[in-house]
């Protein structure tokens, strides 16, 4: 069996479209998950018990069940409760909620890692809770949670492959279909691994660059 490079060239337009869908679902999913996860972390830390306990329960349920099962329930079970979504919106919603549970734990750990003396000093100068979060906790927490957040973004990138089970036309679905139609499983799997490896490597380098820049800022303002 020979490695067919001509096949790779011929399917490039389809791969480009699938690559765009993968980037879209990943980018929107990560941003949405980070925002939602931050709100959950703030609610659990500073909200009342009636808010904190349901949030904690939701986080534990999402973290304790496979993403595959969550997607199945959302896409195929949603219509039974009046939530009927197309594949891409369902994938975006599923990825956002799944990632938010993990981001909320990352941010919660970041909040708790900020030295209590910094918060106490802010209270002494008259800052209210909102100002403390915005001017003290968020800047300091960002430095602490950046490596874990980049790692979570990479995990969500690889989880986009699971979206193929609800027919989201991303890389895994499109390349697997091409491999089955053309009987070119080696070429298709090689391309799939190459695309994901390139995205993961790029994300890791970007994360290290951001960490280095923020480290310089922290040194300058220490």
């Amino acid at each position: 069996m020979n490695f067919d490079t001509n096949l790779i060239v011929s399917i490039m337009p389809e791969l480009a479209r699938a690559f765009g869908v993968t980037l879209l679902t990943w980018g929107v999913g990560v941003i949405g998950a980070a925002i939602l996860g931050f709100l959950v972390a703030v609610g659990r830390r500073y909200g009342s018990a009636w808010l904190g306990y349901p949030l904690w329960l939701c986080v534990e349920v999402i973290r304790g069940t496979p993403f595959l099962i969550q997607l199945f329930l959302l896409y195929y079970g949603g219509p039974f409760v009046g939530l009927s979504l197309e594949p891409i919106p369902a994938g975006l919603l599923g990825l956002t909620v799944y990632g938010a549970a993990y981001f909320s734990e990352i941010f919660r750990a970041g909040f708790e890692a900020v030295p209590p003396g910094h918060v106490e000093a802010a209270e002494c100068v008259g800052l209210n809770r909102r100002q403390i979060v915005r001017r003290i906790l968020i800047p300091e927490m960002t430095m602490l949670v950046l490596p874990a957040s980049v790692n979570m973004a990479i995990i969500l990138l690889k989880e986009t492959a699971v979206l193929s089970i609800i027919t989201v036309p991303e890389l895994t679905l499109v390349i697997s279909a091409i491999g089955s139609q053309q009987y070119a499983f080696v070429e298709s799997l090689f391309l799939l691994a190459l695309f994901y490896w390139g995205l993961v490597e790029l994300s890791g380098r970007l994360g290290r660059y951001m960490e280095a820049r923020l480290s310089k800022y922290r040194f300058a303002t220490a």
Side-chain angles (χ1 to χ4, degrees), residues 149-176:
S149 297
V150 172
N151 185 62
M152 189 63 222
I154 290 174
I155 291 174
L156 290 180
L157 167 61
K158 291 184 284 188
E159 291 290 358
T160 59
V162 182
L163 302 182
S164 61
I165 67 164
I166 59 171
T167 67
V168 174
E170 45 75 58
L171 281 171
T172 301
L173 180 67
V174 171
I175 291 180
S176 298

Side-chain angles (χ1 to χ4, degrees), residues 14-30 88 92 95 153 156-164 168-175 192 195-196 199-200:
E14 296 177 70
L15 294 182
R17 288 192 293 271
F19 185 70
V21 173
T22 297
L23 287 181
L24 171 67
T25 54
W26 177 46
V28 174
V30 168
I88 290 181
L92 289 174
L95 198 65
L156 290 180
L157 167 61
K158 291 184 284 188
E159 291 290 358
T160 59
V162 182
L163 302 182
S164 61
V168 174
E170 45 75 58
L171 281 171
T172 301
L173 180 67
V174 171
I175 291 180
L192 188 60
F195 270 114
Y196 279 111
L199 285 174
V200 168

Side-chain angles (χ1 to χ4, degrees), residues 42-172:
V42 172
R44 289 182 61 186
R45 183 175 178 85
Y46 295 107
S48 58
W50 66 267
L51 177 63
Y53 182 77
L55 290 176
W56 168 82
L57 183 60
C58 290
V59 168
E60 292 303 308
V61 170
I62 293 171
R63 292 174 65 212
T65 53
F67 182 46
L68 179 67
I69 303 301
Q70 295 172 24
L71 271 183
F72 270 128
L73 291 174
L74 175 63
Y75 186 66
Y76 296 108
F80 289 97
V81 294
L83 183 62
S84 182
L85 298 173
E86 294 296 319
I88 290 181
L92 289 174
L93 179 60
L95 198 65
T96 296
V97 174
Y98 175 77
Y102 291 90
F103 270 115
S104 71
E105 289 296 290
I106 292 172
F107 294 142
R108 183 182 63 83
F111 282 139
E112 294 179 354
V114 174
H118 295 190
V119 177
E120 293 171 1
E123 292 173 345
C124 289
V125 299
L127 296 184
N128 58 37
R129 182 172 295 178
R130 181 178 300 179
Q131 290 173 321
I132 290 174
V133 171
R134 181 170 58 88
R135 302 179 64 176
I136 304 297
L137 291 178
I138 292 179
E140 295 193 32
M141 180 197 68
T142 301
M143 284 296 308
L144 300 171
V145 305
L146 181 60
S149 297
V150 172
N151 185 62
M152 189 63 222
I154 290 174
I155 291 174
L156 290 180
L157 167 61
K158 291 184 284 188
E159 291 290 358
T160 59
V162 182
L163 302 182
S164 61
I165 67 164
I166 59 171
T167 67
V168 174
E170 45 75 58
L171 281 171
T172 301

